[in-house]
Amino acid sequence: MSRRYDSRTTIFSPEGRLYQVEYAMEAIGNAGSAIGILSKDGVVLVGEKKVTSKLLQTSTSTEKMYKIDDHIACAVAGIMSDANILINTARVQAQRYTFSYQEPMPVEQLVQSLCDTKQGYTQFGGLRPFGVSFLFAGWDKNYGFQLYMSDPSGNYGGWKAAAIGANNQAAQSMLKQDYKDDITREEAVQLALKVLSKTMDSTSLTSDKLELAEVFLSSSGKVKYQVCTPDALSKMLVKYGVTQPPAEA
């Protein structure tokens, strides 16, 4: 049935579906997964790095986590080249707002403006949707810490815990069982690593397959975005019992 209606993003099928947008979401299902958890004192983002070859020089910069502004960061799942375009757009919009109003852009306003861009690509002929999903973590003075998820259709929603990418259904149901409303940032990290270790395709979790970033308030009250170093991540994995400590030589 879909064959006649999936050649363009602009054509609805008789059941009211936009197949090209659904295919874009399907593409994200094959990408490395990312998990975001909202805690009472911060937001935790964890992403799985797909190491396709041993010969690959792993990048020194982060692959899944991006800082958009001082108070907003995001985790990405899907086609990275598509993500780079949207991240640059978001960064420019955040700076324009700061330049105009002399204060940081509210998190939801930024997410909404980026989703408006995404939506445009599902409504005009000759364009394909962005094959990328985002988890946005941020803090603003109106609503405190927030976590948003957005997909290629341009829809977005606020979440307490969310998963995108490969095996996101299994991760989502585990988060639903184990998430508590008054969870601390440390517990959120532990939960995210536990869920990722159970849902990831590879058998063992190591620091070179993972990225961990946190958004929280520093002791001076400023919003801080911090990416966990590989050494600290290795220690954390052992501490929470997700992996075995390396054997002594």
Side-chain angles (χ1 to χ4, degrees):
M1 187 64 196
S2 70
R3 281 287 148 255
R4 286 160 54 202
Y5 297 99
D6 66 355
S7 60
R8 305 228 178 109
T9 54
T10 51
I11 299 174
F12 279 104
S13 77
E15 306 102 68
R17 292 162 68 177
L18 291 168
Y19 282 106
Q20 281 295 325
V21 178
E22 288 181 26
Y23 296 162
M25 292 180 193
E26 203 60 41
I28 292 158
N30 306 322
S33 46
I35 291 171
I37 299 178
L38 186 66
S39 67
K40 60 183 180 185
D41 54 347
V43 190
V44 174
L45 297 172
V46 182
E48 171 198 358
K49 278 200 273 193
K50 289 262 188 189
V51 183
T52 48
S53 166
K54 285 182 181 171
L55 301 175
L56 207 60
Q57 174 72 56
T58 51
S59 78
T60 46
S61 64
T62 55
E63 192 181 300
K64 302 281 286 183
M65 309 293 168
Y66 293 88
K67 182 178 178 178
I68 292 173
D69 201 352
D70 290 337
H71 64 302
I72 304 177
C74 68
V76 174
I79 303 168
M80 292 313 302
S81 51
D82 283 9
N84 288 334
I85 300 288
L86 287 168
I87 288 161
N88 282 341
T89 306
R91 284 172 175 165
V92 170
Q93 282 171 343
Q95 293 309 312
R96 275 188 186 145
Y97 186 96
T98 308
F99 182 70
S100 300
Y101 302 108
Q102 304 301 309
E103 64 173 24
M105 191 170 188
V107 181
E108 186 171 357
Q109 196 172 330
L110 180 66
V111 174
Q112 189 171 2
S113 69
L114 202 61
C115 287
D116 289 347
T117 306
K118 280 188 179 189
Q119 188 275 336
Y121 280 73
T122 68
Q123 204 170 7
F124 299 104
L127 305 171
R128 71 164 175 81
F130 287 98
V132 65
S133 272
F134 287 101
L135 290 173
F136 295 95
W139 182 93
D140 62 41
K141 62 178 198 258
N142 307 315
Y143 297 108
F145 291 108
Q146 296 153 75
L147 174 69
Y148 292 96
M149 178 166 83
S150 87
D151 61 30
S153 67
N155 284 329
Y156 73 92
W159 292 75
K160 292 176 179 173
I164 53 175
N167 307 321
N168 62 352
Q169 296 289 329
Q172 201 81 43
S173 59
M174 282 180 73
L175 288 167
K176 200 184 281 186
Q177 284 173 346
D178 297 345
Y179 181 82
K180 300 190 297 293
D181 275 344
D182 58 345
I183 196 168
T184 63
R185 202 168 84 239
E186 197 174 324
E187 288 167 342
V189 170
Q190 190 174 351
L191 174 59
L193 292 175
K194 180 186 132 187
V195 170
L196 208 53
S197 69
K198 296 250 174 76
T199 57
M200 246 169 80
D201 294 331
S202 55
T203 45
S204 62
L205 267 189
T206 54
S207 60
D208 56 353
K209 291 180 189 169
L210 281 184
E211 275 176 26
L212 175 82
E214 296 169 280
V215 177
F216 57 95
L217 289 178
S218 64
S219 50
S220 62
K222 288 188 85 169
V223 186
K224 194 169 179 202
Y225 166 70
Q226 184 175 294
V227 178
C228 196
T229 62
D231 291 345
L233 198 49
S234 298
K235 286 176 186 159
M236 221 180 269
L237 290 169
V238 174
K239 178 184 167 189
Y240 295 139
V242 182
T243 54
Q244 300 304 313
E248 295 295 322

